[in-house]
Amino acid sequence: MKLQRKNMLRASALGALVVSGALVLTACGSDDNTKNTDGTAKPSAAAAGDIKCDDAKGKLLASGSSAQKNAVELWVKNYMAACPGVEVNYKSSSSGEGIVAFNQGTVGFAGSDSALKPEQVEESKKICTGGQGINLPMVGGPVALGFNVAGVDKLNLDAATIANIFNDKIKKWDDEAIKKLNPGVTLPSTAIQAFHRSDDSGTTENVTKYLKAAAPDAWPHEAAKKWAAPGGQAASGSAGVAAQVKQVDGSIGYFELSFASSQGIKTVDLNTGAAAPVKATGENASKAIAAAKIAGSGSDLALKLDYTTKAEGAYPLVLVTYEVVCDKGNKAETLPTVKSFLNYTASDAGQKVLLENGYAPIPAEINAKVREAVAKLG
């Protein structure tokens, strides 16, 4: 039964990858038929078909994960174009800040790259009257290891070597461990400058979960949102780490693939033990996420990821961003907008946006459960 379910998940994920389409963008034409009467941009017909405004109204505040920032910006643009008069304001900060805001009752939902901890669920019950916070997986994707080493265009690393780099054990780019993984590549003696997140980050937690699972002997630290390893330099948010890697020779850092793609930052291929090193792509991340198992119960859809997979073409350094909402007890004034917006993000059109922008769609079987959970929000 477990094998059958695993195969179903994998098939569902691969099926989601077949779907392709253009981004929902405002078209340019000689006449002004791309505008609503109030001057806002109209979505494409395809997008409008998947966006149901229903009783959405007013302003919806949300905050949290910077990992999903680029996806949310596109979602919000498409949604607000289809639903004039509705404003969705997502503050990209960090998973930790998003959860704090959610449990203080200042946002309609929060984005988090790690599922709620038991104590956070307990705290949420004060805000979710008669209910509690739940995790709805909405965005998948690879965590890219971006690098900037003059003269090096391609770089392979394994989990143990990555752990030793970020643990301040490997200090030069021409270290024997790196040379062994990159035969034929001329590596300089440039000092390694490793960048990590300064804020409590779900991305950090997923990176450290990967290192702890795939290289336990080289990574003695516990997986956590707060960076624990010695050495290195800190920067705020995924955008901050990417900016440092972009400008500093000899640097390496971790952030979502969309940040690397948008800034032309080269990324590491992971040596997982498969026949060939695996590139950080949305498709390869989906292959890894397809093996995930639902660890939550009821409407809570927290996932357990396999960071040690050696499946061909599966990129195991992945994260899933959850939208954290109350299953019951949402504020009456924002509940219709929360449901309407999340219905769109979990729709076929909403998930297409992910693959087209360096993220990975949530496997179809899991996403179907997300839609069911959104429909039941009260």
Side-chain angles (χ1 to χ4, degrees), residues 32-79:
D32 200 21
N33 61 1
T34 64
K35 301 287 186 182
N36 292 308
T37 54
D38 64 354
T40 58
K42 288 182 180 179
S44 72
D50 267 4
I51 299 176
K52 303 293 190 296
C53 304
D54 296 327
D55 297 321
K57 60 184 178 181
K59 180 185 290 187
L60 171 63
L61 299 179
S63 70
S65 164
S66 65
Q68 65 172 359
K69 172 180 180 290
N70 295 331
V72 173
E73 285 180 351
L74 286 167
W75 280 338
V76 168
K77 178 182 177 181
N78 296 343
Y79 181 80

Side-chain angles (χ1 to χ4, degrees), residues 98-168:
I99 296 303
V100 169
F102 177 75
N103 279 339
Q104 289 176 343
T106 60
V107 294
F109 70 88
S112 178
D113 306 323
S114 57
L116 292 168
K117 303 290 189 294
E119 60 272 20
Q120 294 170 331
V121 173
E122 195 61 33
E123 188 178 354
S124 74
K125 293 177 181 178
K126 300 174 185 176
I127 298 300
C128 306
T129 308
Q132 64 180 44
I134 57 172
N135 306 282
L136 301 180
M138 199 69 71
V139 181
V143 180
L145 292 164
F147 69 95
N148 180 356
V149 183
V152 179
D153 294 322
K154 183 176 174 57
L155 187 67
N156 299 327
L157 295 175
D158 60 15
T161 305
I162 295 165
N164 284 326
I165 287 172
F166 281 99
N167 208 25
D168 207 29

Side-chain angles (χ1 to χ4, degrees), residues 76-255:
V76 168
K77 178 182 177 181
N78 296 343
Y79 181 80
M80 288 174 58
C83 301
V86 181
E87 179 181 349
V88 180
N89 188 330
Y90 182 80
K91 179 184 176 184
S92 171
S93 51
S94 69
S95 298
E97 290 182 42
I99 296 303
V100 169
F102 177 75
N103 279 339
Q104 289 176 343
T106 60
V107 294
F109 70 88
S112 178
D113 306 323
S114 57
L116 292 168
K117 303 290 189 294
E119 60 272 20
Q120 294 170 331
V121 173
E122 195 61 33
E123 188 178 354
S124 74
K125 293 177 181 178
K126 300 174 185 176
I127 298 300
C128 306
T129 308
Q132 64 180 44
I134 57 172
N135 306 282
L136 301 180
M138 199 69 71
V139 181
V143 180
L145 292 164
F147 69 95
N148 180 356
V149 183
V152 179
D153 294 322
K154 183 176 174 57
L155 187 67
N156 299 327
L157 295 175
D158 60 15
T161 305
I162 295 165
N164 284 326
I165 287 172
F166 281 99
N167 208 25
D168 207 29
K169 300 288 187 183
I170 294 177
K171 301 178 183 291
K172 300 280 188 180
W173 280 109
D174 62 351
D175 187 276
E176 287 300 320
I178 301 177
K179 289 168 68 174
K180 184 177 179 181
L181 291 165
N182 295 274
V185 177
T186 301
L187 294 162
S189 60
T190 308
I192 295 174
Q193 299 197 56
F195 287 91
H196 57 264
R197 292 279 291 271
S198 60
D199 44 337
D200 285 1
S201 159
T203 308
T204 295
E205 184 168 12
N206 281 276
V207 169
T208 53
K209 280 180 177 178
Y210 164 72
L211 294 175
K212 188 69 174 175
D217 294 337
W219 191 257
H221 316 287
E222 292 303 317
K225 288 188 176 75
K226 187 174 183 63
W227 187 257
Q233 301 177 60
S236 178
S238 292
V241 175
Q244 291 298 318
V245 172
K246 175 73 173 177
Q247 67 186 19
V248 177
D249 183 33
S251 61
I252 186 171
Y254 59 87
F255 35 80

